[in-house]
Amino acid sequence: MSYTRLSAIEQAVTSPTQEQQKEQQQQQQQQQQQQQQGASSLPTACYILIWIVLSNSTILFNKWLIDIAGFPYPILLTCWHLFFAAVVTQVLARTSTLLDNRHSLPITGRFYLRTILPIGLVSSGSLVCSNFVYLHLSISFIQMLKAFAPVVVLFVSWLWGIADPTSGDILNIMCIVLGVAMASFGELHISWLGLTFQLGGLIFEALRVVMIQTMLSSAGLNLDPLVGLFYYAPVCVVLNLLIAGVVEMPYISWGDVQKIGWGIFFLNAMLAFSLNLVSLVLIRKTSGLVTTLTGIFKNILLILFSVVVWKSQITMIQLLGYSISLMGLVYYSFGHEKLMAAYYATTAWGGRLAKQ
């Protein structure tokens, strides 16, 4: 046997074949992808946690300011938030790339008056109504009523002519309505004025969602939270001040502001603006499915906090009604196929854990 022949045999025995090398490369690529996914999932999970904390903290902070600390002026508080946001977004537009997306919008006088301004007005209306509610309803009851939001959005979309609900959608919506109605009837300290403001806030928010969908998304345009604040916050500050000049300013005194302190007001506005920043990142890093699930989990945590810390009373009929509305909300948001896929994936994962 020649030396060359022996070398070839030894090479075939001692070194991997091309197929084995390909398999090794594929395994290495899969390991790298898994490492990248693990590395990227940590920041995403952190953003979700930060969003939950900031969102609930903002709600609790506003409730405390308006209902407990003695500043019952929700329009002026909304005005302050929007003024702070207007100043900060103007600074960020000139010093960072966070608002570069605004250059993709065809900002003309006509576009601003017919698109940006109406969206800004309904957004401001949603914020004002949401703050007014804190004067009349408990935090836990407010979160239960928010489960009614998909019903309002679907109804507004149907009126707008962009949705044609099926019989299944209607049945699902009736389930949510039943749950919210039970939660309302079980409320021990109900305020019809508070219910009116909450419904108004949901209607304004539904209008905002539908208007963004019809005026921007359908045209291939994107209005993220920061860019929206950049354009509509200044004019909404002026309009809210005009309304507050009639509704709230005749009753407010300088002592009301000094009693709270400018440091508290600054912290409150900074918290609200930070929520917009984190919301922007969360929208970019996650899907609508994750955002919806996170929102449901956030509301449940807020209800538990309200019960434990502020001793909010919840009746059994409220718990039952809220559970029904949540089940309807989850089914409406994800549908049967996604829920079954999640069920099978969870079952398979549990089976693997049991074998280990």
Side-chain angles (χ1 to χ4, degrees), residues 143-144 147 179 183 299-300 303 318-326:
Q143 303 314 305
M144 293 181 185
N299 290 342
I300 293 174
I303 291 173
Q318 278 187 297
L319 285 176
L320 179 60
Y322 187 54
S323 300
I324 292 173
S325 62
L326 273 188

Side-chain angles (χ1 to χ4, degrees), residues 64 93 266 351:
W64 176 80
F266 179 82

Side-chain angles (χ1 to χ4, degrees), residues 29-314:
Q29 289 176 356
Q30 289 177 355
Q31 290 176 354
Q32 289 176 354
Q33 288 176 356
Q34 289 175 355
Q35 290 175 355
Q36 290 175 356
Q37 288 175 356
S40 62
S41 64
L42 179 61
T44 302
C46 288
Y47 280 118
I48 290 174
L49 179 61
I50 293 171
W51 180 78
I52 290 174
V53 172
L54 285 178
S55 179
N56 285 351
S57 298
T58 302
I59 291 172
L60 294 171
F61 204 159
N62 290 343
K63 170 70 174 177
W64 176 80
L65 269 178
I66 294 172
D67 192 35
I68 299 175
F71 192 79
Y73 307 105
I75 300 177
L76 287 174
L77 185 63
T78 304
C79 229
W80 163 239
H81 289 171
L82 289 170
F83 174 77
F84 185 90
V87 173
V88 175
T89 50
Q90 292 293 330
V91 173
L92 288 176
R94 290 159 175 77
T95 59
S96 72
T97 59
L98 287 173
L99 286 94
D100 284 356
N101 187 41
R102 72 187 191 278
H103 298 304
S104 64
L105 298 175
I107 298 299
T108 60
R110 178 183 176 86
F111 181 79
Y112 188 89
L113 290 175
R114 297 190 61 177
T115 304
I116 299 296
L117 184 59
I119 293 175
L121 290 177
V122 295
S123 300
S124 180
S126 175
L127 291 172
V128 169
C129 287
S130 298
N131 284 336
F132 257 115
V133 172
Y134 297 137
L135 288 170
H136 306 283
L137 300 176
S138 65
I139 289 289
S140 56
F141 187 42
I142 292 172
Q143 303 314 305
M144 293 181 185
L145 292 176
K146 286 182 179 179
F148 194 63
V151 180
V152 182
V153 172
L154 182 63
F155 182 71
V156 173
S157 301
W158 176 71
L159 290 178
W160 212 278
I162 62 173
D164 187 17
T166 63
S167 56
D169 292 334
I170 295 174
L171 184 62
N172 196 267
I173 289 299
M174 288 176 64
C175 179
I176 298 175
V177 171
L178 174 63
V180 174
M182 290 175 64
S184 301
F185 287 132
E187 173 65 17
L188 298 175
H189 308 288
I190 195 167
S191 166
W192 294 107
L193 183 60
L195 278 175
T196 302
F197 278 122
Q198 182 62 48
L199 181 60
L202 293 177
I203 292 173
F204 277 124
E205 182 63 18
L207 286 171
R208 185 187 72 85
V209 171
V210 172
M211 289 169 72
I212 288 177
Q213 182 179 350
T214 56
M215 296 180 179
L216 294 174
S217 299
S218 60
L221 302 175
N222 180 29
L223 185 68
D224 63 50
L226 283 184
V227 174
L229 283 174
F230 176 82
Y231 284 116
Y232 67 69
V235 68
C236 287
V237 169
V238 176
L239 293 175
N240 282 342
L241 276 177
L242 294 175
I243 299 173
V246 178
V247 178
E248 293 181 347
M249 284 186 180
Y251 306 101
I252 193 173
S253 65
W254 186 245
D256 294 325
V257 178
Q258 290 180 319
K259 180 174 63 176
I260 303 297
W262 283 110
I264 297 295
F265 282 117
F266 179 82
L267 182 61
N268 180 248
M270 189 67 196
L271 190 65
F273 185 78
S274 299
L275 177 60
N276 281 290
L277 275 177
V278 177
S279 298
L280 175 63
V281 178
L282 196 65
I283 290 171
R284 292 176 177 176
K285 282 185 169 287
T286 62
S287 63
L289 177 70
V290 174
T291 306
T292 303
L293 283 175
T294 305
I296 293 173
F297 179 65
K298 172 189 73 72
N299 290 342
I300 293 174
L301 286 179
L302 202 53
I303 291 173
L304 292 175
F305 181 91
S306 179
V307 171
V308 173
V309 178
W310 282 345
K311 309 300 180 184
S312 298
Q313 294 181 331
I314 297 180

